[in-house]
C-alpha cells in the first residue's frame, strides 16, 4: 500500500476544539483519510456517531460480513486503510470470515468494535465481548481494548500505523460504549516510514543468479500489484526474456495476461507446480508464497536442477519457504534494485508463447467459456473484475485476460462471501470505473446484501452470476478425496434459486439469460447502464 504516511503538512489539531474521545477520534479519522466508515449499527456503537461530521460518509451494510467485504475492496482500491465499525462480539463473529480474508489479502482495515459500558463489564452484561481483544485473533495484526477511555485515540492511531505497515492487514480496537463522551487530549499524526528495503547483498546474489540462468521463470503474486510494481515486473521479465507464471490462488493480477512472455497460472498442487516449471533452471517468486498448496503433495518443491529465489514483503512467508534464497522488503524497491544492475551481456531467446484458447461455440445451455469470451469482447481494458466463482476460475484465466494493473481482485483466503461486497467497495474507491462482479451461484448466497448497498449508492456494477445450479468446485474436487466420477456428493446441488427475484428484492434490476443469442445485448446493456444490474446466466 502507501510507502510514506506524511501528515506534517496537515493543520494541527486545536486542543480547544477537542474535548472528548469522540472529538479526538474524528480528528484522527479526518487526517488519516478515513472519512468513509463501513458499518452495521448496534447499540454499543451509537455514541460513536453522535455529531457525525457532515463531510464523512457512512456506508451501511446489512450484515457484518458484507461490511468488511466492502471495506476490503475500498481499501485495496484506494491504497489506504478503511475504517470499519462492528457490533461487539456478535458483530465481530459474523464478520470473521471476511476478516480472515482481509488478513490473507493483506488489506489494511481499522476495525472499531463496540463494547458494553466499563462499569458493568464485571457482571458479564448482555452484548458484552468478554475477551474482546482475543476474539479476532489470530487473523488481525493487532487488537486491544484500551485500559482507559483516554487511551482510545492513541490506540486508534497505533492501529492505523500497524494496519498500514507491510505486510498490511486488519487491526481491531474494542471501545466501551461510555468511552466516547470521556475527556481526551488530541493525538497528532506522525511521519511514519513504512518502506522496507531488502538487504543489498541478497539482492545482488539473486541478481547474479538471474543473470547466470539460461532458462529463468518468474512467478508473480498479489504483492506485486499491491506494491505498485506492475511496470517493474514487466521490465524485469522483458530484460531476461523470462516466462512469467501467476502464483497459485493469487488475489490480484500482477502481469499483463496478453503479454508474449505470460505462460499461465500455476495450480495449488505441488506435483503440478513442479511439472509446469520443469525445464527452468531458476525460479524467481515475486510477491507470493513459494508455494500456496491446496492439497497434500509429495516430492520436491521445485524441479530438479532448478534454484529458487523469492522476493516478499512478509517475514512470516519468508520463514516457512522450504528452499532457496529470500529477500524481505518492498516488492517495488527490490525489483528496482534488480533493474539497477547492468543488463546481461547476451540476450536470451524468447521462450515459447502461450497458446490461445479456441473460441467456444454458442451452445445451449451455454458454456462458461462462451460467456466469458463474450464478456472479454465487451469489456473495456480499464473495467475492473471482482471475482468469486471458484469452479469458473480456470475458464476465466483462459478466456478473460486481465491486462492492466488494478483491474482484478479476488480473495487470497478461499473463503466465500467476499466478492459481491468487495465489488461495492472497489466501485466506491474507483469512482467512474465500471466494475464487473463475476460470481458463482453458490458464492452469491454468502453476502447477497451487497446488492442493496450497491443500489443505495447507485454504483456502476454488473453482477454476473454464473448459475450451474451446484457447488461445482466441490464436485470437481471430490475425486482428490476418493470419490468416483459418478458418486453422489451430499449437499452440493443448488436447485430453485431465482437471482432476478433476489435482485428485485434488494432494489436492483435483474434478468436471466439462457439463450446465447441474447447474451451479448444483455451484458452490453448492463455494463452501459451506469447503475447496478444483475445478469444471471444459466451455464452448463
Amino acid at each position: 500500500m502507501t510507502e510514506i504516511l506524511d501528515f506534517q503538512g496537515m493543520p494541527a489539531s486545536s486542543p480547544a476544539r477537542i474535548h472528548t474521545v469522540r472529538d479526538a477520534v474524528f480528528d484522527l479519522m479526518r487526517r488519516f483519510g478515513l472519512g468513509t466508515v463501513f458499518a452495521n449499527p448496534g447499540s454499543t456503537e451509537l455514541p460513536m456517531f453522535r455529531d457525525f461530521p457532515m463531510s464523512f460518509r457512512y456506508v451501511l451494510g446489512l450484515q457484518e460480513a458484507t461490511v468488511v467485504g466492502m471495506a476490503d475492496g475500498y481499501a485495496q482500491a484506494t491504497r489506504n486503510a478503511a475504517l470499519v465499525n462492528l457490533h461487539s462480539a456478535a458483530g465481530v463473529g459474523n464478520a470473521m470470515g471476511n476478516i480472515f480474508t482481509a488478513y490473507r489479502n493483506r488489506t489494511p482495515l481499522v476495525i472499531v468494535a463496540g463494547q458494553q459500558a466499563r462499569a458493568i463489564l464485571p457482571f458479564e452484561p448482555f452484548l458484552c465481548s468478554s475477551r474482546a481483544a482475543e476474539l479476532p485473533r489470530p487473523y488481525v495484526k493487532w487488537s486491544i481494548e484500551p485500559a482507559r477511555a483516554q487511551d482510545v485515540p492513541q490506540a486508534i492511531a497505533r492501529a492505523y500505523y500497524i494496519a498500514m505497515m507491510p505486510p498490511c492487514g486488519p487491526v481491531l480496537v474494542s471501545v466501551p460504549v461510555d468511552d466516547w463522551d470521556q475527556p481526551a487530549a488530541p493525538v497528532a499524526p506522525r511521519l511514519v516510514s513504512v518502506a522496507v528495503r531488502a538487504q543489498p547483498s541478497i539482492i545482488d546474489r539473486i541478481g547474479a543468479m538471474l543473470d547466470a540462468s539460461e532458462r529463468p521463470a518468474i512467478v508473480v503474486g498479489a504483492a506485486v500489484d499491491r506494491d505498485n510494481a506492475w511496470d517493474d515486473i514487466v521490465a524485469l521479465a522483458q530484460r531476461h526474456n523470462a516466462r512469467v507464471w501467476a502464483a497459485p490462488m493469487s488475489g490480484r493480477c500482477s502481469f499483463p495476461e496478453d503479454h508474449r512472455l505470460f505462460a499461465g497460472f500455476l495450480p495449488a498442487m505441488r506435483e503440478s507446480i513442479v511439472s509446469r516449471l520443469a525445464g527452468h533452471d531458476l525460479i524467481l517468486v515475486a510477491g507470493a508464497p513459494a508455494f500456496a498448496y491446496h492439497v497434500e503433495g509429495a516430492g520436491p518443491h521445485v524441479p530438479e536442477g532448478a534454484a529458487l529465489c523469492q522476493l516478499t514483503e512478509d517475514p512470516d512467508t519468508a520463514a516457512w519457504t522450504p528452499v532457496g534464497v529470500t529477500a524481505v522488503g518492498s516488492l517495488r524497491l527490490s525489483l528496482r534494485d534488480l533493474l539497477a544492475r547492468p543488463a546481461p551481456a547476451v540476450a536470451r531467446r524468447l521462450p515459447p508463447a502461450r497458446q490461445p484458447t479456441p473460441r467456444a461455440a454458442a451452445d445451449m445451455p451455454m458454456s462458461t467459456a462462451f460467456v466469458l469470451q463474450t464478456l472479454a469482447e465487451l469489456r473495456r481494458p480499464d473495467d475492473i473484475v471482482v471475482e468469486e466463482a471458484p469452479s469458473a476460475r480456470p475458464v476465466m484465466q483462459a478466456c478473460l485476460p486481465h491486462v492492466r494493473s488494478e483491474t482484478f481482485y479476488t480473495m487470497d483466503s478461499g473463503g466465500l462471501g467476499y466478492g459481491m461486497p468487495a465489488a461495492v467497495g472497489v466501485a466506491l474507491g474507483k469512482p467512474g470505473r465500471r466494475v464487473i462482479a463475476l460470481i458463482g451461484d453458490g458464492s452469491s448466497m454468502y453476502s447477497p446484501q451487497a446488492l442493496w448497498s450497491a443500489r443505495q449508492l447507485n454504483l456502476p456494477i454488473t453482477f454476473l452470476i454464473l448459475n450451474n445450479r451446484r457447488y461445482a468446485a466441490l464436485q470437481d474436487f471430490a475425486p482428490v478425496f476418493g470419490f468416483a466420477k459418478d458418486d453422489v456428493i451430499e449437499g452440493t446441488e443448488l436447485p430453485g434459486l431465482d437471482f432476478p427475484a433476489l435482485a428485485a428484492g434488494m432494489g436492483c434490476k435483474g434478468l436471466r439469460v439462457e439463450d446465447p443469442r441474447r447474451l451479448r445485448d444483455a451484458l452490453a446493456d448492463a455494463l452501459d447502464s451506469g447503475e447496478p444490474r444483475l445478469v444471471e446466466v444459466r451455464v452448463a
Side-chain angles (χ1 to χ4, degrees):
M1 292 285 177
T2 347
E3 277 191 15
I4 300 293
L5 311 177
D6 186 353
F7 305 104
Q8 288 186 333
M10 297 183 180
S13 300
S14 168
R17 182 171 58 83
I18 293 179
H19 303 291
T20 66
V21 169
R22 184 188 307 102
D23 295 333
V25 169
F26 283 168
D27 184 66
L28 279 172
M29 289 167 59
R30 185 178 294 109
R31 301 209 284 158
F32 284 151
L34 303 180
T36 296
V37 179
F38 296 87
N40 179 270
S43 57
T44 55
E45 293 75 60
L46 289 176
M48 177 181 177
F49 296 103
R50 191 186 312 128
D51 301 322
F52 193 59
M54 293 188 66
S55 60
F56 285 12
R57 175 170 55 184
Y58 187 104
V59 179
L60 174 62
L62 300 185
Q63 206 265 6
E64 288 89 347
T66 299
V67 168
V68 174
M70 291 192 298
D72 187 318
Y74 184 78
Q76 291 199 61
T78 60
R79 296 185 176 271
N80 189 23
L83 194 134
V84 179
N85 184 245
L86 299 178
H87 182 43
S88 62
V92 174
N94 284 340
M96 274 306 301
N98 273 340
I99 292 174
F100 170 68
T101 291
Y103 184 78
R104 294 297 188 195
N105 284 355
R106 306 295 192 255
T107 303
L109 301 179
V110 177
I111 302 169
V112 178
Q115 174 64 293
Q116 267 289 10
R118 290 181 186 271
I120 57 172
L121 283 177
F123 308 108
E124 292 283 335
F126 186 66
L127 292 178
C128 82
S129 183
S130 58
R131 297 183 179 180
E134 296 177 36
L135 177 60
R137 294 175 183 164
Y139 299 116
V140 292
K141 292 182 66 179
W142 185 67
S143 59
I144 191 173
E145 186 172 279
R148 306 178 306 156
Q150 291 80 3
D151 299 330
V152 169
Q154 184 62 53
I156 289 177
R158 181 179 177 185
Y160 177 80
Y161 299 131
I162 292 173
M164 290 293 291
M165 289 179 182
C168 297
V171 295
L172 182 141
V173 181
S174 173
V175 182
V177 67
D178 51 343
D179 281 7
W180 295 104
D181 292 311
Q182 297 300 310
V187 175
R190 300 177 294 117
L191 173 64
V192 180
S193 172
V194 294
V196 178
R197 203 170 205 119
Q199 188 174 341
S201 61
I202 301 299
I203 292 293
D204 284 342
R205 181 172 176 180
I206 292 173
M209 295 171 69
L210 190 56
D211 291 344
S213 168
E214 295 182 3
R215 298 174 304 280
I218 298 174
V219 178
V220 295
V224 172
D225 201 36
R226 284 198 306 264
D227 205 21
N228 219 3
W230 175 283
D231 292 339
D232 304 294
I233 199 71
V234 171
L236 188 72
Q238 291 176 166
R239 169 180 287 192
H240 293 281
N241 275 341
R243 298 186 81 192
V244 178
W245 296 83
M249 316 302 286
S250 180
R252 303 278 284 262
C253 173
S254 294
F255 196 85
E257 293 167 10
D258 61 349
H259 195 283
R260 172 67 175 75
L261 292 170
F262 187 67
F265 300 82
L266 294 179
M269 301 177 69
R270 187 189 306 190
E271 295 88 343
S272 296
I273 291 170
V274 170
S275 173
R276 297 196 189 191
L277 295 177
H280 294 291
D281 58 354
L282 179 77
I283 299 157
L284 173 64
V285 179
F291 294 95
Y293 300 134
H294 192 187
V295 295
E296 182 182 5
H301 296 276
V302 295
E304 183 178 357
L308 177 72
C309 299
Q310 182 184 43
L311 307 176
T312 180
E313 86 285 24
D314 186 358
D316 286 342
T317 297
W320 64 254
T321 298
V323 296
V325 178
T326 298
V328 177
S330 158
L331 265 294
R332 181 168 42 157
L333 296 179
S334 294
L335 291 168
R336 289 182 179 182
D337 286 344
L338 287 173
L339 288 167
R341 295 169 50 84
V346 179
R348 300 181 185 88
R349 292 182 179 178
L350 279 169
R354 185 186 186 205
Q355 294 302 306
T357 302
R359 188 71 170 91
D363 296 328
M364 192 169 176
M366 285 175 275
S367 68
T368 300
F370 176 78
V371 176
L372 296 185
Q373 286 174 341
T374 303
L375 178 63
E377 293 163 0
L378 293 169
R379 178 194 54 170
R380 299 171 186 161
D382 65 344
D383 286 348
I384 299 170
V385 174
V386 181
E387 177 265 332
E388 192 177 292
S391 63
R393 190 169 298 153
V395 183
M396 178 195 71
Q397 292 168 346
C399 300
L400 185 66
H402 307 293
V403 299
R404 292 189 184 180
S405 177
E406 298 186 83
T407 59
F408 177 73
Y409 300 86
T410 189
M411 71 290 190
D412 275 302
S413 67
L416 301 182
Y418 165 81
M420 293 181 79
V424 174
V426 170
L428 275 173
K430 301 282 192 186
R433 300 277 291 278
R434 302 194 310 187
V435 175
I436 301 158
L438 180 63
I439 311 293
D441 54 333
S443 297
S444 68
M445 289 292 96
Y446 285 75
S447 295
Q449 304 90 342
L451 291 167
W452 182 88
S453 297
R455 174 69 272 173
Q456 295 301 308
L457 297 162
N458 199 35
L459 297 170
I461 306 173
T462 297
F463 294 92
L464 175 56
I465 308 295
L466 299 173
N467 185 2
N468 54 25
R469 300 164 297 288
R470 61 192 183 115
Y471 288 126
L474 293 178
Q475 294 179 349
D476 295 344
F477 203 61
V480 174
F481 294 110
F483 287 84
K485 181 179 179 182
D486 296 325
D487 282 351
V488 174
I489 304 167
E490 298 298 334
T492 59
E493 298 295 330
L494 297 174
L497 292 172
D498 187 338
F499 290 99
L502 177 65
M506 297 284 183
C508 284
K509 295 178 181 177
L511 76 159
R512 177 181 297 125
V513 180
E514 299 182 80
D515 186 337
R517 294 171 296 183
R518 293 184 56 222
L519 178 66
R520 178 177 292 271
D521 288 344
L523 289 177
D525 183 57
L527 288 168
D528 292 337
S529 69
E531 64 180 12
R533 295 278 186 92
L534 182 143
V535 179
E536 174 196 350
V537 182
R538 292 288 182 96
V539 294

